[in-house]
Amino acid sequence: MVDIWFSQLDTENVKTSVRVEKQLYSGRSPYQQIDVFQTKEFGKMIVLDGEIVFSEADEFIYNEMVVHVPMAVHPHVRDVLIIGGGDGGVAKVLTQYPEIASIDVVEPDEMFIEVSKKYFPETAEGFNDNRVTIKNMDALRFLRRFRDSYDLIINDSTDPFGHTEGLFTREFYGNCYRALREDGIMVYQHGSPFYEQDEAAFRAMHRKAYKSFPISRVYQAGIPTCPAGLWMFGFASKKYHPLKDFDPKRWNDRNIKTWYYTTHLHRGAFMLPKYVEDILSEEENR
Amino acid sequence: MVDIWFSQLDTENVKTSVRVEKQLYSGRSPYQQIDVFQTKEFGKMIVLDGEIVFSEADEFIYNEMVVHVPMAVHPHVRDVLIIGGGDGGVAKVLTQYPEIASIDVVEPDEMFIEVSKKYFPETAEGFNDNRVTIKNMDALRFLRRFRDSYDLIINDSTDPFGHTEGLFTREFYGNCYRALREDGIMVYQHGSPFYEQDEAAFRAMHRKAYKSFPISRVYQAGIPTCPAGLWMFGFASKKYHPLKDFDPKRWNDRNIKTWYYTTHLHRGAFMLPKYVEDILSEEENR
């Protein structure tokens, strides 16, 4: 039997390796290297430029946390923009909310969408809902045209250094702010500040969001395939506070089935380790 | 330059690897294989039977969470028992509480203590406090002699299958119960239920604690060197509830310096993912 392992470099000095049963796909789009693996522990797994983007075993954590947290706070979300999200998982969770009228997915990489549809049909099912529109273009450019158009923006992009670099600039946060209605919320991937190499990007991200939005908080989830097993999300908002305006009863009455999110966990996710709180308040007081 | 990596098998199909600068120690005690590595990302790291037990970079998370959580709940802890804890890290955090009169450390493996003292003098410093007594014996046997003797028991043992197997039996939980005073608390390592292979042990542990103690809750922390990055702790108690009897003001007035624990995080740590809540309540209703 061949012994194949895929390794993700969490840092130059730490790696997470997953035993591979079979490499299902490998290709290069104009934007990135795309690989799909069949693994024993995580099921099918998609890897972009060497980093695990999602696996069948733990994608529910990420998808639920970026959708249900803002949806349990904002009382009337109609129009949603997903930046990135080419796998359809976030869109799929959003389609459980009947009051949502439109979901725009801005994903420049068509090949990533095609690969997701082929190998992860259950996740990409989100694209079949007729409220979903896919725009194959650069999000920074797309956003410039919009004013007061969205109630919720979910920024699914992770990498501040690759082709999505522009989505981590101050201009980008400003554009998101303008594209949101007066009570809009933006949720974005914040990464983990545990490893020294990631701390600077984590700090810069919070500084930009904090300066661009009146309310800016960070929340966390444990995601096994993420570096250090810990992942953080930014909650930047024009009006609603993630805890003060949180309505657990309204959300629980919806009876949405989840595997990770609960309204208790919602509160707990905003209670952060001391070293993270210290980093955030240092950036706020700069 | 030589390229050395230490790998921990999180499961048969997932491993966490850490670049090693130098192996500082390797030896076999009557109980286990002991290795010490100098690493770039985690500093010095101690490995027992191939599993990372602690590293300089993240031991603070574990030590703070097993000590401050019960100490912020129980109003008058005088006598503490640590089962395992041969590195001294838990004892060190406990010595910050002036009201504690005695700390017994029951660690059968003398060699583990000696190695810890030599390579981790800052952590093992906990042993220098004159309230600390080390007993080199089996904890199950040690416990049989005690009735109403301790206010807090911290069970630092992790492995339900190795030489510490006896510490995961129903008899053991019963012995702990009897060794505690009428308002005593026991905190223990609960592992992570994310991987299928660990789920049965996780379930069995909760079942035993739930049957042995009137109050039995589980709390979590993100620890990068633990499998899946997630670690859970059991809080089994005769009288005090970890949230209802929690006194944040009293704890904050102590001004203890922490890197992970805060009284906000205390509450958040008990707010668990849905799949973990489901597992726990299934075991409670068996």
Side-chain angles (χ1 to χ4, degrees):
Chain A
M1 204 191 79
V2 287
D3 189 35
I4 315 174
W5 290 82
F6 159 77
S7 292
Q8 164 176 280
L9 279 173
D10 294 350
T11 76
E12 208 184 304
N13 303 305
V14 181
K15 58 188 176 190
T16 302
S17 304
V18 182
R19 190 190 292 276
V20 167
E21 295 183 307
K22 201 179 167 184
Q23 184 169 31
L24 299 174
Y25 176 83
S26 185
R28 177 166 279 281
S29 80
Y31 299 94
Q32 54 205 339
Q33 170 73 27
I34 305 173
D35 292 277
V36 180
F37 298 102
Q38 179 69 52
T39 74
K40 215 167 173 131
E41 199 64 56
F42 294 110
K44 273 184 283 187
M45 198 168 87
I46 194 158
V47 171
L48 299 179
D49 284 340
E51 303 224 342
I52 303 169
V53 162
F54 74 88
S55 80
E56 289 178 326
D58 70 354
E59 58 150 349
F60 69 97
I61 304 174
Y62 173 80
N63 293 336
E64 291 184 10
M65 289 304 276
V66 297
V67 171
H68 299 316
V69 170
M71 290 303 295
V73 172
H74 196 303
H76 43 78
V77 172
R78 230 186 95 79
D79 302 297
V80 183
L81 171 64
I82 304 172
I83 296 170
D87 54 270
V90 174
K92 187 179 171 182
V93 179
L94 282 165
T95 60
Q96 294 175 282
Y97 292 88
E99 72 271 33
I100 292 178
S102 80
I103 302 168
D104 292 342
V105 178
V106 182
E107 169 61 67
D109 194 345
E110 285 184 65
M111 195 188 278
F112 176 44
I113 295 178
E114 290 317 309
V115 171
S116 297
K117 281 184 177 168
K118 180 161 178 201
Y119 294 98
F120 302 91
E122 276 183 43
T123 304
E125 195 177 270
F127 293 139
N128 300 335
D129 192 286
N130 60 18
R131 293 169 288 175
V132 176
T133 313
I134 300 175
K135 320 262 182 185
N136 287 125
M137 64 182 290
D138 175 72
L140 195 56
R141 207 136 22 103
F142 175 85
L143 270 168
R144 285 187 190 129
R145 310 188 331 230
F146 290 91
R147 297 283 179 282
D148 305 312
S149 307
Y150 293 104
D151 303 300
L152 172 61
I153 296 177
I154 297 174
N155 181 3
D156 211 2
S157 309
T158 52
D159 187 359
F161 306 110
H163 75 278
T164 52
E165 196 179 8
L167 308 182
F168 294 85
T169 58
R170 185 119 185 236
E171 184 199 356
F172 173 73
Y173 286 92
N175 288 350
C176 288
Y177 185 90
R178 276 194 304 278
L180 285 168
R181 296 207 171 97
E182 56 172 11
D183 58 353
I185 296 172
M186 174 188 179
V187 165
Y188 56 99
Q189 299 219 41
H190 216 307
S192 162
F194 181 79
Y195 293 120
E196 218 181 312
Q197 64 167 35
D198 302 324
E199 195 186 311
F202 184 90
R203 284 180 181 271
M205 229 184 279
H206 185 60
R207 210 155 55 225
K208 284 170 208 157
Y210 186 78
K211 281 185 182 155
S212 307
F213 284 82
I215 294 163
S216 167
R217 305 289 299 158
V218 169
Y219 63 105
Q220 65 179 346
I223 305 185
T225 54
C226 287
L230 184 70
W231 203 245
M232 304 234 168
F233 305 95
F235 183 104
S237 173
K238 286 183 167 185
K239 183 175 166 189
Y240 303 116
H241 188 280
L243 298 175
K244 289 174 202 153
D245 295 303
F246 166 50
D247 191 337
K249 190 186 171 308
R250 191 184 62 214
W251 192 86
N252 284 318
D253 284 346
R254 293 172 177 275
N255 281 313
I256 291 175
K257 165 111 182 114
T258 62
W259 286 263
Y260 194 82
Y261 181 84
T262 73
T263 49
H264 286 295
L265 186 99
H266 180 116
R267 286 189 201 284
F270 286 91
M271 297 165 183
L272 303 174
K274 179 74 160 58
Y275 73 93
V276 180
E277 272 190 7
D278 288 347
I279 287 175
L280 295 173
S281 65
E282 273 169 40
E283 293 310 317
E284 292 168 10
N285 298 316
R286 237 169 223 269
Chain B
M1 205 190 80
V2 289
D3 189 36
I4 316 172
W5 289 82
F6 159 78
S7 292
Q8 166 175 280
L9 280 172
D10 294 351
T11 76
E12 208 184 304
N13 304 304
V14 181
K15 57 187 174 189
T16 301
S17 305
V18 181
R19 189 191 292 277
V20 168
E21 294 184 306
K22 202 179 167 185
Q23 183 169 30
L24 299 175
Y25 176 83
S26 184
R28 178 165 277 283
S29 81
Y31 299 92
Q32 54 206 340
Q33 169 74 26
I34 304 172
D35 291 277
V36 180
F37 298 103
Q38 179 69 50
T39 76
K40 215 167 173 127
E41 199 64 56
F42 293 110
K44 271 183 284 187
M45 200 167 87
I46 195 158
V47 171
L48 298 180
D49 284 341
E51 304 224 340
I52 302 169
V53 163
F54 74 89
S55 80
E56 288 178 326
D58 69 355
E59 58 149 350
F60 70 97
I61 303 175
Y62 173 80
N63 293 336
E64 290 184 11
M65 289 303 277
V66 297
V67 171
H68 298 317
V69 170
M71 290 302 294
V73 172
H74 196 304
H76 42 78
V77 173
R78 231 186 92 80
D79 301 297
V80 184
L81 170 64
I82 305 172
I83 296 170
D87 54 89
V90 174
K92 187 180 170 183
V93 178
L94 281 166
T95 59
Q96 294 174 282
Y97 291 87
E99 73 270 36
I100 293 178
S102 78
I103 302 169
D104 291 343
V105 178
V106 182
E107 168 62 67
D109 193 345
E110 284 184 66
M111 196 188 280
F112 176 43
I113 295 178
E114 289 317 308
V115 171
S116 298
K117 281 185 178 168
K118 181 162 177 199
Y119 294 99
F120 302 90
E122 275 183 43
T123 305
E125 193 178 270
F127 292 138
N128 299 337
D129 191 286
N130 60 20
R131 292 169 288 176
V132 177
T133 314
I134 300 174
K135 319 262 180 185
N136 288 124
M137 64 183 290
D138 175 72
L140 196 56
R141 206 138 22 106
F142 176 85
L143 270 168
R144 284 186 191 132
R145 310 186 333 228
F146 290 92
R147 297 282 179 284
D148 306 310
S149 307
Y150 294 103
D151 304 299
L152 173 61
I153 295 178
I154 297 174
N155 181 2
D156 210 2
S157 308
T158 51
D159 187 0
F161 306 110
H163 75 275
T164 52
E165 197 178 8
L167 307 182
F168 294 84
T169 58
R170 184 119 185 237
E171 185 199 355
F172 172 73
Y173 286 91
N175 288 351
C176 287
Y177 185 90
R178 275 195 305 278
L180 284 168
R181 297 206 171 97
E182 57 172 11
D183 59 353
I185 296 172
M186 174 188 179
V187 165
Y188 57 99
Q189 301 220 38
H190 216 305
S192 162
F194 181 79
Y195 294 119
E196 219 180 311
Q197 65 166 33
D198 302 325
E199 195 185 310
F202 184 90
R203 283 179 182 272
M205 228 184 280
H206 185 59
R207 210 156 56 226
K208 285 168 207 156
Y210 186 78
K211 282 184 183 154
S212 308
F213 284 83
I215 294 165
S216 166
R217 305 290 301 158
V218 169
Y219 63 105
Q220 65 180 344
I223 305 185
T225 54
C226 287
L230 184 70
W231 204 244
M232 305 235 168
F233 305 94
F235 182 105
S237 173
K238 288 184 166 183
K239 182 175 167 192
Y240 303 116
H241 187 281
L243 297 175
K244 289 174 204 154
D245 296 303
F246 167 49
D247 190 337
K249 190 186 170 304
R250 190 184 63 215
W251 192 87
N252 284 316
D253 285 347
R254 293 173 177 277
N255 282 314
I256 290 176
K257 166 113 182 111
T258 63
W259 285 264
Y260 192 83
Y261 181 84
T262 73
T263 49
H264 286 295
L265 187 100
H266 180 116
R267 286 191 200 282
F270 286 91
M271 297 164 183
L272 303 174
K274 179 74 160 56
Y275 73 93
V276 179
E277 271 190 8
D278 288 348
I279 287 174
L280 296 173
S281 65
E282 274 169 42
E283 294 309 319
E284 291 169 10
N285 297 315
R286 236 171 224 272

